[in-house]
Amino acid sequence: MEKLESQVADRLTRYYIVALTLVAVLTVSGLFLVRRTINNLNHDSRVVNVAGRQRMLSQRLTKLAILQTEKIPTNDSVKIDSLLHVWKVSHEQLLRGRIKMESEFVVLKSDSIKNMYKNLEPVFQIMYKNFLIVDSPEASEDEKKIALQTILSTEPLFLSQMEAIVFQFDKESYGRIRILEQIEWILDVLTLLVLLAEGVLIFRPVVNTTRRIVRLLAASEDAVRVANKKLKISNAQLLRAQDDLVRSEEEKYQLQLAEDRVRAAAIIEGQEEERKRFALELHDGIGQMLTGLKLQAEKLKQMQFDDEKQRLRFDKLVTLIQDTIHTTRQVSFNLMPSVLSDFGLSAALNLLCAQTSELSGIKIKYEGIKDRIALARPMEIGLYRIAQEALNNAVKHAESDNIKIKLEQNANRIFLEIEDDGKGFLISNLKNKSGSFLTQNGIENIRTRTQLLNGEMKLISSVDAGTRLVINIPV
C-alpha cells in the first residue's frame, strides 16, 4: 500500500513539474518575444527619427543655401558647415547600419532598408558636394548659383527616397507586430491546453488521493488517541524514574563531596596536629637543649684562653649556637606560631607580616582588625595558613615592592584580603604556572582550605597590575 502510494505521488509530482515547466517556458517565451519586439520597435522609432531629421536637415540646408546665394538677410544664426557636418555623420551611420544614440548603438536589421540607403548614396553625395560649393568662400557667384540649381533639382529625389525609407520602416514594424500577435495567440492556446491537462491529469488525481488519505486519517485518529494516552502514562512513569535517578545521583554526589571534605579536613587537621607536636618538640626539646648549650658556652667564654685562635674559634661556636637557636625558633614559629593560640588571628597575621618583611626586605603591612576576635580554632588556623601560603608565594614570584594583608569582619562574615603590586598574570595561564604569585599547588591548597571553611575565594589579576586574593568566610 505504501509503495503504491509512493509511486502515485512520484508520478503526480513529475506531471506537476512538467506542467509548471511548460507554463513557465510559454510565459517566459511570450515575455521574451514581447520584449524583443518592443526593443526592435524602439530602435525603428529612433531610426525613423534620424531619417526624419535628415529630411528636415536637407530642407534647412537648402533654405540656408538659397539665402546665402541670393544674399538675403536672415535671423537664423546656424552655419551651413555645422548643419552639413551633422547631416553627413547621420547619413554615414545610416549607410553603415549602426546609429549612435546617446550611449548605445542602434543597428539596422533590414536588408531592404540598407539597400535603399545605398541607392540614396549618390543623390546624397551630389547634394553634399554642391552644399560645400555654396558654403565655400572661394567659389564664384556663378558656381554657387549652379550648385544651388543642382541642389534644388536633386532635393525632391532625396526627399522622396527618404520618405520611401520611412514607409518601409513602418511596413516592417507593422509586419513584426502582426507576427507577434500570431505567436501570442499560439502561446495563449498552448498555455490553456497545458492548464487543462494539469487539471485533468494532476489536480483530479490529487483530489481523489487527498479524500482517501483523509478517510484513512479519520479511521486511525481513535487508535492514535488511545496510543497517546498509553504514551502519556508511560512518559509519566519514565519521568518519575528519571527524577528518582537524578535525585539518587545528586545524593551520591553530595555524599562523595562530603566524604572528600571530611577526608581533606582530617588530613589537614592531622597535618596541623603534627605541626603542633613537632613545633613543641623543637621548642621544648631541641630548643631547650640548645639554650642550655648556649649558657654553658657563655660560661666557658669567660675563661682565659692561652691561644687567640682558640678564643676566636670558640666565639664562632657561640655565634653558631645562637644562629641555630634563632633558626629553630623560626621553624617552630612557622610550624605553629604560639602567638596564634595566645593572642588570636589578628596578632598572628601582624607578626607574620613583620617577620616576613624583615627576612625578604619587601614592605609588608597588616591592616584591619587589631583586637582579638572570637573564632573557632580550625577557622583561625585555616585563615592563617591561607595568608601564610599567599604571602610566601607573593614574596617568591610576584616581584612586588608592597604587599598588604587585610582582615575585616562584617556582620557574620570574615574577609581576608592579600594584595600586591607585582607583575601579575593572566588567570587563563594559571595552569601553566607562568608568572603567577600563586603556584598551581598553592592555589589548590588555598581553594581546599576555603571550601573546608564553607567560604568563597575570588582571585583578580592582570599583567603588570598586581594580584588581589579575597577570602570570604561565614562565621
mmCIF file of all heavy atoms in Angstrom, residues 99-132:
data_model
loop_
_atom_site.group_PDB
_atom_site.id
_atom_site.type_symbol
_atom_site.label_atom_id
_atom_site.label_comp_id
_atom_site.label_asym_id
_atom_site.label_seq_id
_atom_site.Cartn_x
_atom_site.Cartn_y
_atom_site.Cartn_z
ATOM 1 N N ILE A 99 23.772 53.257 -35.834
ATOM 2 C CA ILE A 99 23.494 54.645 -35.470
ATOM 3 C C ILE A 99 23.744 54.808 -33.978
ATOM 4 O O ILE A 99 23.177 54.059 -33.165
ATOM 5 C CB ILE A 99 22.042 55.026 -35.806
ATOM 6 C CG1 ILE A 99 21.782 54.784 -37.290
ATOM 7 C CG2 ILE A 99 21.765 56.473 -35.445
ATOM 8 C CD1 ILE A 99 20.336 54.944 -37.682
ATOM 9 N N LYS A 100 24.588 55.758 -33.618
ATOM 10 C CA LYS A 100 24.887 56.001 -32.201
ATOM 11 C C LYS A 100 23.836 56.946 -31.621
ATOM 12 O O LYS A 100 23.690 58.080 -32.050
ATOM 13 C CB LYS A 100 26.274 56.607 -32.047
ATOM 14 C CG LYS A 100 26.694 56.745 -30.582
ATOM 15 C CD LYS A 100 28.122 57.213 -30.467
ATOM 16 C CE LYS A 100 28.546 57.296 -29.008
ATOM 17 N NZ LYS A 100 29.919 57.775 -28.846
ATOM 18 N N MET A 101 23.085 56.401 -30.648
ATOM 19 C CA MET A 101 22.044 57.194 -29.971
ATOM 20 C C MET A 101 22.415 57.284 -28.501
ATOM 21 O O MET A 101 22.366 56.277 -27.778
ATOM 22 C CB MET A 101 20.670 56.534 -30.130
ATOM 23 C CG MET A 101 20.241 56.333 -31.570
ATOM 24 S SD MET A 101 19.923 57.864 -32.441
ATOM 25 C CE MET A 101 18.504 58.461 -31.561
ATOM 26 N N GLU A 102 22.813 58.453 -28.059
ATOM 27 C CA GLU A 102 23.218 58.679 -26.669
ATOM 28 C C GLU A 102 24.349 57.724 -26.314
ATOM 29 O O GLU A 102 25.448 57.862 -26.835
ATOM 30 C CB GLU A 102 22.012 58.506 -25.731
ATOM 31 C CG GLU A 102 20.923 59.542 -25.991
ATOM 32 C CD GLU A 102 19.681 59.290 -25.145
ATOM 33 O OE1 GLU A 102 19.633 58.265 -24.472
ATOM 34 O OE2 GLU A 102 18.776 60.154 -25.179
ATOM 35 N N SER A 103 24.125 56.708 -25.444
ATOM 36 C CA SER A 103 25.221 55.825 -25.005
ATOM 37 C C SER A 103 25.142 54.443 -25.619
ATOM 38 O O SER A 103 25.790 53.516 -25.146
ATOM 39 C CB SER A 103 25.194 55.700 -23.472
ATOM 40 O OG SER A 103 23.970 55.125 -23.056
ATOM 41 N N GLU A 104 24.328 54.250 -26.690
ATOM 42 C CA GLU A 104 24.198 52.928 -27.286
ATOM 43 C C GLU A 104 24.147 53.061 -28.805
ATOM 44 O O GLU A 104 23.972 54.145 -29.355
ATOM 45 C CB GLU A 104 22.930 52.220 -26.773
ATOM 46 C CG GLU A 104 21.644 52.947 -27.115
ATOM 47 C CD GLU A 104 20.428 52.176 -26.636
ATOM 48 O OE1 GLU A 104 20.594 51.002 -26.335
ATOM 49 O OE2 GLU A 104 19.339 52.772 -26.593
ATOM 50 N N PHE A 105 24.280 51.927 -29.463
ATOM 51 C CA PHE A 105 24.231 51.872 -30.916
ATOM 52 C C PHE A 105 22.949 51.158 -31.337
ATOM 53 O O PHE A 105 22.613 50.094 -30.802
ATOM 54 C CB PHE A 105 25.446 51.116 -31.489
ATOM 55 C CG PHE A 105 26.697 51.922 -31.482
ATOM 56 C CD1 PHE A 105 27.590 51.828 -30.422
ATOM 57 C CD2 PHE A 105 26.997 52.783 -32.532
ATOM 58 C CE1 PHE A 105 28.752 52.570 -30.415
ATOM 59 C CE2 PHE A 105 28.161 53.533 -32.521
ATOM 60 C CZ PHE A 105 29.031 53.438 -31.470
ATOM 61 N N VAL A 106 22.246 51.750 -32.282
ATOM 62 C CA VAL A 106 21.053 51.137 -32.871
ATOM 63 C C VAL A 106 21.467 50.533 -34.202
ATOM 64 O O VAL A 106 22.028 51.226 -35.064
ATOM 65 C CB VAL A 106 19.932 52.174 -33.074
ATOM 66 C CG1 VAL A 106 18.728 51.527 -33.731
ATOM 67 C CG2 VAL A 106 19.540 52.776 -31.730
ATOM 68 N N VAL A 107 21.208 49.245 -34.376
ATOM 69 C CA VAL A 107 21.647 48.504 -35.553
ATOM 70 C C VAL A 107 20.465 48.273 -36.483
ATOM 71 O O VAL A 107 19.393 47.834 -36.037
ATOM 72 C CB VAL A 107 22.275 47.154 -35.148
ATOM 73 C CG1 VAL A 107 22.756 46.414 -36.385
ATOM 74 C CG2 VAL A 107 23.423 47.390 -34.185
ATOM 75 N N LEU A 108 20.649 48.585 -37.770
ATOM 76 C CA LEU A 108 19.620 48.304 -38.777
ATOM 77 C C LEU A 108 19.651 46.824 -39.127
ATOM 78 O O LEU A 108 20.707 46.275 -39.466
ATOM 79 C CB LEU A 108 19.868 49.147 -40.031
ATOM 80 C CG LEU A 108 19.772 50.674 -39.850
ATOM 81 C CD1 LEU A 108 20.095 51.366 -41.169
ATOM 82 C CD2 LEU A 108 18.391 51.069 -39.380
ATOM 83 N N LYS A 109 18.478 46.136 -39.025
ATOM 84 C CA LYS A 109 18.413 44.701 -39.258
ATOM 85 C C LYS A 109 17.717 44.347 -40.578
ATOM 86 O O LYS A 109 17.535 43.172 -40.878
ATOM 87 C CB LYS A 109 17.691 44.027 -38.093
ATOM 88 C CG LYS A 109 18.376 44.258 -36.761
ATOM 89 C CD LYS A 109 17.625 43.610 -35.635
ATOM 90 C CE LYS A 109 18.323 43.872 -34.298
ATOM 91 N NZ LYS A 109 17.597 43.289 -33.160
ATOM 92 N N SER A 110 17.280 45.368 -41.317
ATOM 93 C CA SER A 110 16.540 45.134 -42.557
ATOM 94 C C SER A 110 17.471 45.312 -43.756
ATOM 95 O O SER A 110 18.056 46.387 -43.948
ATOM 96 C CB SER A 110 15.346 46.086 -42.663
ATOM 97 O OG SER A 110 14.716 45.971 -43.917
ATOM 98 N N ASP A 111 17.619 44.258 -44.563
ATOM 99 C CA ASP A 111 18.484 44.349 -45.754
ATOM 100 C C ASP A 111 17.883 45.274 -46.806
ATOM 101 O O ASP A 111 18.614 45.972 -47.518
ATOM 102 C CB ASP A 111 18.685 42.957 -46.339
ATOM 103 C CG ASP A 111 19.489 42.068 -45.407
ATOM 104 O OD1 ASP A 111 20.276 42.615 -44.606
ATOM 105 O OD2 ASP A 111 19.325 40.837 -45.471
ATOM 106 N N SER A 112 16.547 45.282 -46.892
ATOM 107 C CA SER A 112 15.916 46.144 -47.889
ATOM 108 C C SER A 112 16.173 47.621 -47.592
ATOM 109 O O SER A 112 16.451 48.423 -48.508
ATOM 110 C CB SER A 112 14.408 45.873 -47.935
ATOM 111 O OG SER A 112 13.820 46.159 -46.656
ATOM 112 N N ILE A 113 16.093 47.990 -46.323
ATOM 113 C CA ILE A 113 16.356 49.383 -45.950
ATOM 114 C C ILE A 113 17.815 49.735 -46.179
ATOM 115 O O ILE A 113 18.146 50.844 -46.634
ATOM 116 C CB ILE A 113 15.937 49.631 -44.501
ATOM 117 C CG1 ILE A 113 14.419 49.466 -44.354
ATOM 118 C CG2 ILE A 113 16.363 51.005 -44.032
ATOM 119 C CD1 ILE A 113 13.911 49.615 -42.951
ATOM 120 N N LYS A 114 18.706 48.770 -45.881
ATOM 121 C CA LYS A 114 20.125 49.030 -46.132
ATOM 122 C C LYS A 114 20.359 49.279 -47.624
ATOM 123 O O LYS A 114 21.133 50.172 -48.010
ATOM 124 C CB LYS A 114 20.966 47.848 -45.648
ATOM 125 C CG LYS A 114 21.015 47.697 -44.146
ATOM 126 C CD LYS A 114 21.879 46.497 -43.752
ATOM 127 C CE LYS A 114 21.914 46.333 -42.248
ATOM 128 N NZ LYS A 114 22.716 45.167 -41.848
ATOM 129 N N ASN A 115 19.700 48.502 -48.487
ATOM 130 C CA ASN A 115 19.850 48.698 -49.939
ATOM 131 C C ASN A 115 19.290 50.044 -50.368
ATOM 132 O O ASN A 115 19.848 50.717 -51.255
ATOM 133 C CB ASN A 115 19.154 47.564 -50.684
ATOM 134 C CG ASN A 115 19.862 46.241 -50.476
ATOM 135 O OD1 ASN A 115 21.088 46.206 -50.314
ATOM 136 N ND2 ASN A 115 19.125 45.136 -50.499
ATOM 137 N N MET A 116 18.166 50.456 -49.733
ATOM 138 C CA MET A 116 17.589 51.753 -50.074
ATOM 139 C C MET A 116 18.551 52.882 -49.719
ATOM 140 O O MET A 116 18.669 53.885 -50.446
ATOM 141 C CB MET A 116 16.255 51.925 -49.349
ATOM 142 C CG MET A 116 15.178 50.956 -49.841
ATOM 143 S SD MET A 116 13.645 51.074 -48.910
ATOM 144 C CE MET A 116 13.023 52.655 -49.482
ATOM 145 N N TYR A 117 19.280 52.735 -48.570
ATOM 146 C CA TYR A 117 20.256 53.757 -48.207
ATOM 147 C C TYR A 117 21.433 53.764 -49.181
ATOM 148 O O TYR A 117 21.991 54.823 -49.503
ATOM 149 C CB TYR A 117 20.758 53.529 -46.784
ATOM 150 C CG TYR A 117 19.852 54.136 -45.735
ATOM 151 C CD1 TYR A 117 19.212 53.341 -44.801
ATOM 152 C CD2 TYR A 117 19.636 55.507 -45.681
ATOM 153 C CE1 TYR A 117 18.379 53.881 -43.829
ATOM 154 C CE2 TYR A 117 18.815 56.052 -44.716
ATOM 155 C CZ TYR A 117 18.178 55.242 -43.803
ATOM 156 O OH TYR A 117 17.359 55.797 -42.864
ATOM 157 N N LYS A 118 21.803 52.565 -49.659
ATOM 158 C CA LYS A 118 22.891 52.526 -50.642
ATOM 159 C C LYS A 118 22.471 53.212 -51.948
ATOM 160 O O LYS A 118 23.290 53.890 -52.584
ATOM 161 C CB LYS A 118 23.281 51.075 -50.901
ATOM 162 C CG LYS A 118 23.988 50.412 -49.723
ATOM 163 C CD LYS A 118 24.358 48.972 -50.029
ATOM 164 C CE LYS A 118 25.046 48.327 -48.832
ATOM 165 N NZ LYS A 118 25.381 46.899 -49.109
ATOM 166 N N ASN A 119 21.202 53.016 -52.338
ATOM 167 C CA ASN A 119 20.714 53.679 -53.545
ATOM 168 C C ASN A 119 20.635 55.191 -53.347
ATOM 169 O O ASN A 119 20.720 55.956 -54.320
ATOM 170 C CB ASN A 119 19.341 53.133 -53.929
ATOM 171 C CG ASN A 119 19.413 51.664 -54.321
ATOM 172 O OD1 ASN A 119 20.455 51.197 -54.810
ATOM 173 N ND2 ASN A 119 18.338 50.916 -54.100
ATOM 174 N N LEU A 120 20.458 55.618 -52.099
ATOM 175 C CA LEU A 120 20.373 57.038 -51.800
ATOM 176 C C LEU A 120 21.733 57.721 -51.783
ATOM 177 O O LEU A 120 21.832 58.940 -51.867
ATOM 178 C CB LEU A 120 19.664 57.224 -50.442
ATOM 179 C CG LEU A 120 19.408 58.641 -49.963
ATOM 180 C CD1 LEU A 120 18.438 59.361 -50.905
ATOM 181 C CD2 LEU A 120 18.853 58.641 -48.550
ATOM 182 N N GLU A 121 22.805 56.900 -51.689
ATOM 183 C CA GLU A 121 24.146 57.441 -51.510
ATOM 184 C C GLU A 121 24.559 58.394 -52.640
ATOM 185 O O GLU A 121 25.072 59.494 -52.376
ATOM 186 C CB GLU A 121 25.142 56.286 -51.384
ATOM 187 C CG GLU A 121 26.616 56.673 -51.398
ATOM 188 C CD GLU A 121 27.012 57.520 -50.205
ATOM 189 O OE1 GLU A 121 26.186 57.635 -49.251
ATOM 190 O OE2 GLU A 121 28.114 58.071 -50.191
ATOM 191 N N PRO A 122 24.347 58.060 -53.936
ATOM 192 C CA PRO A 122 24.774 59.004 -54.999
ATOM 193 C C PRO A 122 24.050 60.340 -54.910
ATOM 194 O O PRO A 122 24.661 61.402 -55.126
ATOM 195 C CB PRO A 122 24.430 58.250 -56.290
ATOM 196 C CG PRO A 122 24.418 56.816 -55.896
ATOM 197 C CD PRO A 122 23.881 56.775 -54.513
ATOM 198 N N VAL A 123 22.727 60.311 -54.629
ATOM 199 C CA VAL A 123 21.957 61.546 -54.508
ATOM 200 C C VAL A 123 22.515 62.405 -53.370
ATOM 201 O O VAL A 123 22.668 63.627 -53.498
ATOM 202 C CB VAL A 123 20.469 61.223 -54.285
ATOM 203 C CG1 VAL A 123 19.653 62.505 -54.117
ATOM 204 C CG2 VAL A 123 19.924 60.389 -55.430
ATOM 205 N N PHE A 124 22.837 61.722 -52.224
ATOM 206 C CA PHE A 124 23.378 62.458 -51.072
ATOM 207 C C PHE A 124 24.710 63.110 -51.414
ATOM 208 O O PHE A 124 24.971 64.265 -51.052
ATOM 209 C CB PHE A 124 23.531 61.515 -49.885
ATOM 210 C CG PHE A 124 24.245 62.123 -48.716
ATOM 211 C CD1 PHE A 124 23.562 62.928 -47.812
ATOM 212 C CD2 PHE A 124 25.608 61.933 -48.519
ATOM 213 C CE1 PHE A 124 24.217 63.504 -46.748
ATOM 214 C CE2 PHE A 124 26.268 62.513 -47.462
ATOM 215 C CZ PHE A 124 25.560 63.304 -46.567
ATOM 216 N N GLN A 125 25.583 62.381 -52.147
ATOM 217 C CA GLN A 125 26.904 62.898 -52.455
ATOM 218 C C GLN A 125 26.810 64.116 -53.372
ATOM 219 O O GLN A 125 27.562 65.092 -53.217
ATOM 220 C CB GLN A 125 27.768 61.800 -53.107
ATOM 221 C CG GLN A 125 28.135 60.672 -52.170
ATOM 222 C CD GLN A 125 28.989 61.144 -51.007
ATOM 223 O OE1 GLN A 125 29.700 62.154 -51.099
ATOM 224 N NE2 GLN A 125 28.881 60.430 -49.885
ATOM 225 N N ILE A 126 25.832 64.083 -54.353
ATOM 226 C CA ILE A 126 25.663 65.233 -55.242
ATOM 227 C C ILE A 126 25.257 66.465 -54.441
ATOM 228 O O ILE A 126 25.826 67.570 -54.599
ATOM 229 C CB ILE A 126 24.626 64.903 -56.335
ATOM 230 C CG1 ILE A 126 25.172 63.832 -57.281
ATOM 231 C CG2 ILE A 126 24.236 66.145 -57.118
ATOM 232 C CD1 ILE A 126 24.146 63.308 -58.267
ATOM 233 N N MET A 127 24.266 66.277 -53.524
ATOM 234 C CA MET A 127 23.801 67.405 -52.726
ATOM 235 C C MET A 127 24.909 67.891 -51.788
ATOM 236 O O MET A 127 25.105 69.103 -51.605
ATOM 237 C CB MET A 127 22.571 67.006 -51.920
ATOM 238 C CG MET A 127 21.357 66.686 -52.778
ATOM 239 S SD MET A 127 19.905 66.307 -51.785
ATOM 240 C CE MET A 127 19.593 67.876 -51.009
ATOM 241 N N TYR A 128 25.655 66.957 -51.188
ATOM 242 C CA TYR A 128 26.698 67.324 -50.216
ATOM 243 C C TYR A 128 27.795 68.155 -50.900
ATOM 244 O O TYR A 128 28.232 69.184 -50.372
ATOM 245 C CB TYR A 128 27.288 66.058 -49.594
ATOM 246 C CG TYR A 128 28.377 66.341 -48.593
ATOM 247 C CD1 TYR A 128 28.087 66.849 -47.336
ATOM 248 C CD2 TYR A 128 29.708 66.111 -48.921
ATOM 249 C CE1 TYR A 128 29.084 67.115 -46.423
ATOM 250 C CE2 TYR A 128 30.716 66.368 -48.017
ATOM 251 C CZ TYR A 128 30.401 66.872 -46.765
ATOM 252 O OH TYR A 128 31.398 67.145 -45.870
ATOM 253 N N LYS A 129 28.233 67.720 -52.093
ATOM 254 C CA LYS A 129 29.302 68.452 -52.790
ATOM 255 C C LYS A 129 28.839 69.854 -53.165
ATOM 256 O O LYS A 129 29.591 70.830 -53.050
ATOM 257 C CB LYS A 129 29.723 67.679 -54.032
ATOM 258 C CG LYS A 129 30.450 66.378 -53.718
ATOM 259 C CD LYS A 129 30.808 65.633 -54.990
ATOM 260 C CE LYS A 129 31.521 64.306 -54.662
ATOM 261 N NZ LYS A 129 31.852 63.543 -55.887
ATOM 262 N N ASN A 130 27.586 69.979 -53.627
ATOM 263 C CA ASN A 130 27.081 71.290 -54.022
ATOM 264 C C ASN A 130 26.880 72.191 -52.794
ATOM 265 O O ASN A 130 27.060 73.412 -52.890
ATOM 266 C CB ASN A 130 25.786 71.136 -54.812
ATOM 267 C CG ASN A 130 26.028 70.627 -56.236
ATOM 268 O OD1 ASN A 130 26.414 71.407 -57.119
ATOM 269 N ND2 ASN A 130 25.858 69.339 -56.439
ATOM 270 N N PHE A 131 26.500 71.598 -51.656
ATOM 271 C CA PHE A 131 26.408 72.405 -50.425
ATOM 272 C C PHE A 131 27.775 72.940 -50.030
ATOM 273 O O PHE A 131 27.906 74.087 -49.564
ATOM 274 C CB PHE A 131 25.833 71.579 -49.285
ATOM 275 C CG PHE A 131 24.331 71.493 -49.287
ATOM 276 C CD1 PHE A 131 23.685 70.267 -49.217
ATOM 277 C CD2 PHE A 131 23.540 72.637 -49.355
ATOM 278 C CE1 PHE A 131 22.308 70.182 -49.220
ATOM 279 C CE2 PHE A 131 22.161 72.551 -49.351
ATOM 280 C CZ PHE A 131 21.531 71.326 -49.298
ATOM 281 N N LEU A 132 28.816 72.135 -50.245
ATOM 282 C CA LEU A 132 30.169 72.599 -49.948
ATOM 283 C C LEU A 132 30.554 73.771 -50.855
ATOM 284 O O LEU A 132 31.211 74.717 -50.423
ATOM 285 C CB LEU A 132 31.169 71.448 -50.120
ATOM 286 C CG LEU A 132 31.105 70.333 -49.068
ATOM 287 C CD1 LEU A 132 32.096 69.213 -49.418
ATOM 288 C CD2 LEU A 132 31.420 70.873 -47.681
#
